[in-house]
Amino acid sequence: MRTWRVGSFSMGAALVLLGVFLLLSQFLKWDPAIAMISWWPLLFIILGVEILLYLGFSKSEKQQIKYDFISIIFISIIGTFGLGMAVVNATGLLEVSKQFVIAEERTLDLPKFEEVLTNEIKRVHIETGPYSLNVEGSQGKKAVMFGTYRGDMKKGDHSIKSISDYALIEKQGDTLYIKLKRAPMSRFMNYNDELNATILIPSIVELELIGEHNNLNLKPRDLQSNWSIASVGNVNMDIAENANMKIQAVNVQEAGEADWQEVQGGKSNNQDEDNEYEESIPLTGTLTYGSGKYTIKVKDSYTVEIN
């Protein structure tokens, strides 16, 4: 009586196919995960063919069937793993995990923005978004924005390819609007993205800047118009020696060591029944350079430091 061991042939064929796919993946640069998803259904075909062969031979001669449990368990493990990989791939988690593994932290240049402001443009409105920003006054009539972007990205990928990927630029009436966008973020992984931009604004044009309690480095240089700064966390202002301007702080928590005038608010000492404590009241005050012809107004911000 001939004995047929169901599973032995399937396990041997599975090992051969697995070896072939792994070998080809080395030479053809296949993704091993995709190769595993592609070949594992062949196991069911091989096992089915083996059973059909047994049924065919059993009609012509008397045979005894035995199950090779080790082989069947081996095939089941591979099949379950392949099925699991297929499910993960279908949900998109495989691609997410792949991007996470191959991602690298890189610093790239932002696409440069340049715009010659015509005589009709009298004002520039900037919304900084959550990032720190450098703003400088410049000669001429050209508004320029440039900088760098740092983030986690896969090799060869450029998350920011054009100006529209990081900023909204729009001209309406007499105003140029510049709104910085948030960098792309993954829902599953916390990428540490950072945008560091510098904007050059013609000194003859009015500026209105609205922040999101971020840091702002401001160099007005030879200011020839009025500028307004609001809702910024820390304002670090570099004032030229021959400046002709007035800095007005409104509702600012801390104003540094400068000699502010017309001061209202600030720190005050209070006393309750038990002890004396210091209370910080939002400050309002002014600093004048030269004749103070033009004004930089900083309001609803945390600190103002003058260099």
Side-chain angles (χ1 to χ4, degrees):
M1 180 181 295
R2 185 178 178 181
T3 300
W4 187 285
R5 297 179 63 87
V6 176
S8 299
F9 177 76
S10 299
M11 184 179 72
L15 292 175
V16 172
L17 287 174
L18 179 59
V20 170
F21 268 86
L22 292 179
L23 183 62
L24 291 177
S25 65
Q26 296 295 321
F27 290 100
L28 302 180
K29 305 302 180 181
W30 289 348
D31 188 339
I34 301 301
M36 177 62 71
I37 295 173
S38 302
W39 81 272
W40 71 267
L42 294 175
L43 293 177
F44 294 102
I45 298 175
I46 295 170
L47 187 58
V49 170
E50 185 177 3
I51 295 174
L52 291 176
L53 290 175
Y54 159 72
L55 293 176
F57 286 116
S58 64
K59 294 179 181 180
S60 59
E61 56 180 294
K62 190 174 182 179
Q63 297 188 22
Q64 180 181 4
I65 184 171
K66 288 186 178 181
Y67 293 94
D68 190 341
F69 289 102
I70 295 179
S71 300
I72 293 176
I73 291 173
F74 176 77
I75 295 172
S76 300
I77 292 174
I78 296 180
T80 302
F81 179 76
L83 182 60
M85 291 289 291
V87 172
V88 171
N89 183 62
T91 58
L93 293 177
L94 182 62
E95 182 64 23
V96 172
S97 60
K98 177 182 176 182
Q99 291 182 5
F100 179 78
V101 171
I102 67 175
E104 59 183 4
E105 185 177 286
R106 303 179 63 194
T107 300
L108 303 175
D109 294 337
L110 291 172
K112 188 176 181 181
F113 164 76
E114 290 183 310
E115 178 78 25
V116 177
L117 304 185
T118 61
N119 294 331
E120 289 76 17
I121 301 298
K122 307 296 183 182
R123 186 171 69 107
V124 175
H125 176 93
I126 299 176
E127 295 182 31
T128 67
Y131 303 106
S132 299
L133 191 65
N134 305 305
V135 177
E136 297 186 18
S138 64
Q139 301 296 324
K141 295 184 177 181
K142 181 182 292 186
V144 181
M145 180 166 56
F146 58 92
T148 59
Y149 167 78
R150 180 176 64 86
D152 296 328
M153 60 193 74
K154 60 184 180 181
K155 294 182 179 179
D157 179 40
H158 296 267
S159 297
I160 297 180
K161 300 179 181 179
S162 63
I163 297 172
S164 61
D165 288 335
Y166 75 95
L168 172 65
I169 310 294
E170 186 71 27
K171 287 191 293 185
Q172 292 292 334
D174 64 349
T175 303
L176 173 67
Y177 293 89
I178 301 176
K179 182 177 181 180
L180 297 183
K181 300 178 180 179
R182 293 180 180 269
M185 296 181 63
S186 172
R187 295 182 179 179
F188 303 99
M189 293 171 287
N190 185 21
Y191 287 160
N192 185 25
D193 296 333
E194 180 180 339
L195 188 146
N196 185 7
T198 297
I199 302 180
L200 306 181
I201 302 297
S203 299
I204 60 175
V205 176
E206 293 185 5
L207 171 65
E208 181 181 79
L209 185 145
I210 300 177
E212 291 187 11
H213 304 287
N214 49 312
N215 296 328
L216 174 67
N217 296 318
L218 190 66
K219 295 182 180 181
R221 300 189 185 278
D222 185 19
L223 189 64
Q224 300 180 39
S225 61
N226 296 325
W227 286 9
S228 174
I229 312 296
S231 302
V232 175
N234 302 303
V235 181
N236 193 330
M237 201 175 303
D238 192 353
I239 304 300
E241 295 182 357
N242 59 345
N244 184 14
M245 68 182 69
K246 179 172 65 175
I247 301 174
Q248 182 179 9
V250 178
N251 196 28
V252 173
Q253 296 296 326
E254 297 182 10
E257 303 297 329
D259 187 16
W260 293 87
Q261 303 170 352
E262 302 175 7
V263 176
Q264 299 178 11
K267 294 182 179 179
S268 64
N269 293 326
N270 293 277
Q271 189 172 3
D272 55 19
E273 295 180 357
D274 298 326
N275 55 7
E276 184 176 343
Y277 62 95
E278 189 175 59
E279 181 181 6
S280 180
I281 302 174
L283 176 144
T284 296
T286 59
L287 280 175
T288 303
Y289 297 88
S291 62
K293 183 176 182 180
Y294 303 102
T295 301
I296 298 179
K297 184 177 182 181
V298 181
K299 62 180 181 179
D300 301 329
S301 299
Y302 188 73
T303 63
V304 176
E305 291 287 345
I306 307 297
N307 299 323

